[in-house]
Amino acid sequence: MSSDFKSILTENRLFEPSAEFKSKARISSMEDYQRLHAESLNDPDTFWTREASELTWQQPWTKVLDWQPPFAKWFVDAKLNVSENCVDRHVAAGKGDKPAILWEGEPGDTRTISYAELQTEVATFAAVLLNHGIKAGDRVIIYMPMVPEAAIAMLATARIGAVHSVIFGGFSSESIKDRLLDSGATAVITADGGYRRGKVVPLKDNVDTALKNAPHVTTVIVLKRTGQNIAMQEGRDAWWHDETAKVTEGAPANGFDSEHPLFILYTSGSTGKPKGILHTSGGYLTGTYVSSKYIFDLREDDVYWCTADVGWITGHSYIVFGPLSNGATILMYEGAPDTPHQGRFWEIVEKYKVSILYTAPTAIRAFIKWGDDHVDKFDLSSLRLLGSVGEPINPEAWMWYHHKIGGGRCPIVDTWWQTETGSILITPLPGVTPTKPGTATLPFFGVDAAILDEDGKEVGPNEGGKLVIRKPWPSMLRTLYGDNDRYKEVYWSTYENIYLAGDSARRDDDGYFWIMGRIDDVLNVSGHRLGTAEVESALVSHESVAEAAVVGRPDELKGQAVVAFVTVKGGVDPTPELAAALKKHVANVIGAIARPDDIRFAAGLPKTRSGKIMRRLLKEICAGGVIKGDTTTLEDLNVIASLQASGKDED
Ligand code: ATP
Ligand code: MG
């Protein structure tokens, strides 16, 4: 990226951690953060030995890191059992009665599972898997609703050394089939159905359709959740409750090699065909354990709620493995944020006295669109820490989150990371890092993040470039499943022995990292390169706008014209006058160069099922209307149809 890739956004608001939070923080000052961060890079053996030693290992490592770029081995020769670390060790430490999982179903049914109960359930289900001939290294698909059994299935699979691949319960049979074939899984764990927006999702039916073309699957275990009629194939399909009832003794938590595969997870597909990210055991668990401890400041009496689905990396690392390895109490919610009403999240926060909430910008923008009334009805005073992940958070959405949800008192951790990184890499530390709306701030321990230009030179302050990580970290992906060549090509071929994240970013004068958008989405307007995030945030800072996505359309004069797809807040009329006002607003806020050529009002934007805007589809619409790219991870195909139908807004 040439040096004309400059930032045009200026954000000067700074929020110091409160004295109250600061007085209890694990790391007490920025100096301490800097000292520990320097140690983690200069003397990783000391840093990671100290941190990893807080976990339970059945055999110690002989070497912290073996780095043969781009292949890393962490905690070489060590043995551990991931499920023992997430469950058994807390029971052994006398915390058996502590709630591990608080669960709320969409229809309002509830369950509380203590660590002792979780241990029994995990060991029992692990025995079921063994009884069905599933062995260490075998791949197991988990396709379930957000019920405790989803986490139990993940932990049970890990307990016997099998490799899970969780598929989000909203995906179709086609997506299941692709992932089944790519992973070579021989077993599927599913449910009859799940509840979503008041409807039953036919999970088992979807599995049946997918399995028509996958004869290598010999075991399907089905949890009864909704009770609707489903087909059960003799010899292949068995009920969860029948199988667990047969178990007399739970499976032991034997140790597996630190580099034993833990799971394969397919990325959300914002930029193309999903990639099968492979994570292994010791490094991944250490990364998620340490990051959960410091970034979410987990304490004994916290009620921690991450609103992601277990089908995403956020659900893997920050519902299951990170918080449970810390012995935290987690909340799981099965349903949608607007069912049965648009205040559902806040009702749950009040009911369970949630103290830590981790959610996504897409959700925050939806709450803003729905209006403050839904929030005001509930008592949110139990909250003490807020988190954001998934996309750059628009500064105005950050401000709303800070004031309306956090009551101005809760630090916000805006956490940048990826399926590939396994755990959070860039983030504030609560009580320590002064925050600014819209930036993930500074690298976490062990993370050597930088921004490079095309020649591999670090760019200067406020210059845009490619975000990279220059040193290996414990929870990094090990490869793309079954495809070392693609792994090298995608992440390691741009710069030598440096990980390419795929995002563009800049650092401000304080060294804070600002994500400017995906490299693939960068706009090129009259020779200037613009990140999408800044233009979108300028639009969202207008009082009428709920959400915006910006893409480039081929233009003879400018190279690319800026097209903005905009959804408005409830009660706002999307008039031509508003379109004109928005163009002017962007020009005022960040400069004439970013002024949109077209504003297209839309009822919704195309998103992945995890809520990320899919700009590549909008780009295709602008370029001619025919969608050629992969749409299997798209949330709602109708959105595309209506965008294509609506055509161009008057200029
Ligand atoms: P694919 O790689 O298949 O296109 P994806 O990148 O959307 O899918 P994920 O691994 O779920 O799949 O998402 C990681 C990406 O999400 C990051 O590369 C970044 O673009 C974005 N992201 C996540 N957290 C943040 C954040 N806090 N700030 C800015 N961007 C973020
Ligand atoms: Mg990605």
Side-chain angles (χ1 to χ4, degrees), residues 623-647:
V626 191
I627 304 289
K628 295 184 289 295
D630 186 69
T631 53
T632 52
T633 62
L634 184 70
E635 185 188 41
D636 183 0
L637 261 178
N638 294 325
V639 169
I640 286 294
S642 62
L643 284 172
Q644 283 172 312
S646 75

Side-chain angles (χ1 to χ4, degrees), residues 309-528:
D309 190 279
V310 288
W312 313 125
I313 191 66
T314 304
H316 282 57
S317 301
Y318 298 109
I319 294 178
V320 180
F321 296 109
L324 293 180
S325 62
N326 276 276
T329 296
I330 64 165
L331 178 85
M332 267 176 101
Y333 169 55
E334 180 185 32
D338 54 354
T339 309
H341 57 80
Q342 293 176 331
R344 186 74 156 120
F345 270 24
W346 319 119
E347 180 181 57
I348 291 174
V349 168
E350 176 183 287
K351 176 172 171 186
Y352 292 93
K353 300 201 165 39
V354 171
S355 56
I356 303 171
L357 177 72
Y358 190 28
T359 193
T362 184
I364 297 167
R365 292 188 302 254
F367 299 137
I368 297 172
K369 192 173 176 182
W370 295 339
D372 291 359
D373 292 357
H374 302 286
V375 184
D376 293 338
K377 285 189 207 128
F378 300 99
D379 176 10
L380 306 183
S381 61
S382 56
L383 289 170
R384 67 180 194 90
L385 175 57
L386 303 175
S388 172
V389 61
E391 291 181 290
I393 182 166
N394 313 109
E396 288 325 305
W398 192 102
M399 291 302 294
W400 183 90
Y401 198 32
H402 174 70
H403 286 299
K404 200 72 213 163
I405 305 304
R409 72 182 177 278
C410 304
I412 295 179
V413 288
D414 174 4
T415 61
W416 177 88
W417 60 298
Q418 311 176 291
T419 310
E420 292 88 341
T421 68
S423 61
I424 296 165
L425 296 198
I426 303 180
T427 178
L429 292 180
V432 182
T433 317
T435 52
K436 303 178 197 179
T439 164
T441 75
L442 296 167
F444 186 62
F445 302 130
V447 179
D448 184 16
I451 297 165
L452 305 184
D453 67 13
E454 292 297 343
D455 306 324
K457 219 167 79 328
E458 221 172 327
V459 300
N462 295 310
E463 266 177 43
K466 291 176 178 165
L467 177 60
V468 298
I469 313 295
R470 293 182 291 201
K471 287 195 162 81
W473 64 100
S475 66
M476 65 190 278
L477 79 165
R478 296 305 192 257
T479 190
L480 292 178
Y481 186 72
D483 201 346
N484 284 345
D485 289 342
R486 189 172 173 211
Y487 168 67
K488 288 183 200 161
E489 165 66 30
V490 174
Y491 306 105
W492 304 94
S493 64
T494 306
Y495 305 110
E496 203 179 340
N497 299 342
I498 290 179
Y499 173 84
L500 179 81
D503 288 341
S504 57
R506 68 175 171 101
R507 301 184 78 166
D508 66 15
D509 296 324
D510 295 321
Y512 283 18
F513 286 78
W514 294 75
I515 303 297
M516 298 169 75
R518 313 284 183 136
I519 291 175
D520 298 353
D521 294 338
V522 167
L523 308 166
N524 198 335
V525 184
S526 308
H528 297 271

Side-chain angles (χ1 to χ4, degrees), residues 135-366:
K135 311 176 299 300
D138 288 353
R139 275 82 62 215
V140 176
I141 297 283
I142 299 177
Y143 178 65
M144 296 188 83
M146 277 289 287
V147 292
E149 284 81 0
I152 291 166
M154 291 164 77
L155 292 164
T157 312
R159 193 175 192 85
I160 63 164
V163 184
H164 59 67
S165 185
V166 182
I167 302 177
F168 171 57
F171 276 146
S172 64
S173 48
E174 193 63 21
S175 312
I176 306 174
K177 195 190 81 191
D178 290 347
R179 288 159 177 71
L180 261 172
L181 294 176
D182 191 75
S183 66
T186 52
V188 177
I189 305 167
T190 188
D192 49 357
Y195 295 105
R196 188 77 187 170
R197 296 215 156 85
K199 293 204 187 86
V200 171
V201 184
L203 298 174
K204 176 62 164 61
D205 290 355
N206 290 345
V207 169
D208 288 341
T209 308
L211 289 189
K212 281 190 187 132
N213 302 308
H216 55 285
V217 173
T218 51
T219 306
V220 178
I221 300 180
V222 187
L223 177 82
K224 187 170 262 179
R225 165 73 185 125
T226 50
Q228 88 265 29
N229 273 336
I230 54 164
M232 293 290 276
Q233 183 176 313
E234 185 75 37
R236 186 194 71 185
D237 303 353
W239 286 104
W240 178 297
H241 56 268
D242 288 341
E243 297 309 294
T244 48
K246 291 179 199 158
V247 172
T248 49
E249 206 185 327
N254 296 331
F256 292 96
D257 191 275
S258 178
E259 283 302 327
H260 187 76
L262 182 62
F263 64 85
I264 302 164
L265 183 62
Y266 293 84
T267 53
S268 61
S270 305
T271 50
K273 205 171 155 46
K275 305 173 276 273
I277 310 293
L278 180 76
H279 282 289
T280 59
S281 304
Y284 172 79
L285 190 70
T286 303
T288 52
Y289 167 76
V290 172
S291 54
S292 299
K293 179 179 72 169
Y294 287 119
I295 299 163
F296 296 113
D297 186 47
L298 289 169
R299 307 287 171 156
E300 229 15 82
D301 52 359
D302 273 314
V303 175
Y304 166 92
W305 183 21
C306 166
T307 69
D309 190 279
V310 288
W312 313 125
I313 191 66
T314 304
H316 282 57
S317 301
Y318 298 109
I319 294 178
V320 180
F321 296 109
L324 293 180
S325 62
N326 276 276
T329 296
I330 64 165
L331 178 85
M332 267 176 101
Y333 169 55
E334 180 185 32
D338 54 354
T339 309
H341 57 80
Q342 293 176 331
R344 186 74 156 120
F345 270 24
W346 319 119
E347 180 181 57
I348 291 174
V349 168
E350 176 183 287
K351 176 172 171 186
Y352 292 93
K353 300 201 165 39
V354 171
S355 56
I356 303 171
L357 177 72
Y358 190 28
T359 193
T362 184
I364 297 167
R365 292 188 302 254

Side-chain angles (χ1 to χ4, degrees), residues 68-91:
Q68 318 266 348
F71 299 102
K73 290 185 180 144
W74 282 85
F75 308 108
V76 181
D77 296 324
K79 284 195 185 339
L80 80 165
N81 186 287
V82 170
S83 87
E84 174 186 25
N85 275 284
C86 293
V87 185
D88 304 59
R89 74 187 189 114
H90 308 308
V91 180

